[in-house]
Amino acid sequence: MPERVASEVLSAMVGGMFSASALYPLEVLKTRMQAEAKPSSNPQEETVNNNETSSTASNSNNNNDEEESNSTTEKQTLKNQYTHAATEGMSSYASLMYQHEGGIAPFYAGVGTSAVQSATEKALYFFAYTFFKNGYVNLTGSSNIGTISNLILGCMAEWAHLPVTLPIDCVTTAIQTDDKNRGAFVLLGNILSEKGIGGFYKGIQAYTVLCLKPAIQYTVYEQVKKIVLATRRVNRAAAADDGGRSAIVVEEDSLGAA
């Protein structure tokens, strides 16, 4: 493997891991807020209704039933608070998570899995893109890849990593939305037992379309890089010509003075 490709892959992996880790709390908030159901009523009203239900249940059941009813009421009340906070905005939801889930730890639940997924995605993308690019050059005999061809190669490179990265992304989402704080391997087993292998590839059709986004991004990057390099070559050539002319003028002046 060429040294240039290896350095690009390593840089992409490190950059992907760093960006995924740095922005992970926002990813957790986004995923959890999207997963919240629409509130059926005002949380304060729901709390009053739940308390009334709990009071009625306590008059008709024993102490164990009363404790279980109170526990259920508290969980439902907290759930309603989360749902209502999701409608208010990210800051309200983050504040509620911090207060009720033990500080900053829940904002980084599954960060390791996310970092692995991002690093794997970037590495496989660069390997696949390099492979397809070299194949295109060998097939056409031209190293000048046009915009459309670059876009197609980028899409193919994105599709190439989906079979590996989609299951990791699925497990990461499950960790973010799990309210029992189970580990990655437990959730992995649950998905396999409940949905089978297909559970890891739910929504793959949408992902195949979303592959256009990084493909367009990398295509634009390649085209801008070509323009910048061409501009630099022109400027250097112009500077060299100016330097040559200046040297000739100085030499002619020296000869004239002699």
Side-chain angles (χ1 to χ4, degrees):
M1 179 174 56
E3 183 178 347
R4 178 175 173 273
V5 176
S7 63
E8 286 186 354
V9 169
L10 182 60
S11 300
M13 290 178 64
V14 173
M17 293 180 68
F18 179 80
S19 62
S21 302
L23 300 176
Y24 192 73
L26 296 177
E27 184 69 24
V28 170
L29 285 171
K30 183 200 75 173
T31 303
R32 290 190 52 169
M33 289 175 70
Q34 288 175 340
E36 291 291 348
K38 184 178 180 180
S40 58
S41 62
N42 187 282
Q44 284 80 10
E45 294 176 358
E46 190 72 29
T47 302
V48 172
N49 293 335
N50 286 331
N51 287 337
E52 290 175 354
T53 303
S54 175
S55 177
T56 303
S58 66
N59 292 330
S60 60
N61 298 319
N62 57 32
N63 291 334
N64 290 335
D65 291 337
E66 181 181 352
E67 290 178 0
E68 183 178 350
S69 178
N70 288 337
S71 176
T72 303
T73 301
E74 290 176 359
K75 290 180 180 178
Q76 184 60 43
T77 301
L78 184 59
K79 175 64 177 176
N80 290 336
Q81 290 177 358
Y82 273 111
T83 305
H84 186 69
T87 63
E88 291 184 340
M90 186 175 290
S91 59
S92 298
Y93 198 92
S95 176
L96 197 63
M97 280 183 62
Y98 186 87
Q99 292 174 8
H100 292 279
E101 299 184 29
I104 200 172
F107 293 94
Y108 289 93
V111 64
T113 309
S114 178
V116 170
Q117 187 264 341
S118 182
T120 304
E121 176 183 327
K122 298 298 185 294
L124 291 178
Y125 175 85
F126 271 97
F127 277 126
Y129 181 80
T130 302
F131 174 80
F132 291 133
K133 182 179 180 181
N134 292 338
Y136 177 87
V137 171
N138 293 332
L139 185 64
T140 61
S142 173
S143 59
N144 186 20
I145 303 177
T147 303
I148 301 299
S149 299
N150 227 331
L151 183 61
I152 295 174
L153 293 176
C155 286
M156 293 172 62
E158 279 291 327
W159 292 333
H161 71 70
L162 287 181
V164 178
T165 56
L166 262 185
I168 304 176
D169 186 61
C170 182
V171 173
T172 301
T173 303
I175 294 173
Q176 292 172 350
T177 56
D178 182 45
D179 57 357
K180 298 180 181 179
N181 296 322
R182 291 171 292 181
F185 290 105
V186 175
L187 294 171
L188 180 67
N190 287 346
I191 295 173
L192 276 174
S193 61
E194 294 175 4
K195 303 177 181 178
I197 296 295
F200 293 112
Y201 297 98
K202 186 177 180 180
I204 190 171
Q205 296 86 353
Y207 276 96
T208 56
V209 177
L210 289 174
C211 284
L212 283 170
K213 179 181 176 182
I216 292 173
Q217 185 178 14
Y218 193 73
T219 300
V220 171
Y221 163 76
E222 285 289 332
Q223 299 306 313
V224 171
K225 184 173 74 172
K226 287 181 180 180
I227 294 173
V228 171
L229 292 177
T231 303
R232 286 181 179 177
R233 283 194 293 267
V234 171
N235 291 338
R236 286 174 182 172
D241 291 341
D242 291 341
R245 294 194 194 98
S246 299
I248 293 174
V249 170
V250 170
E251 185 177 358
E252 289 177 348
D253 290 344
S254 300
L255 291 174

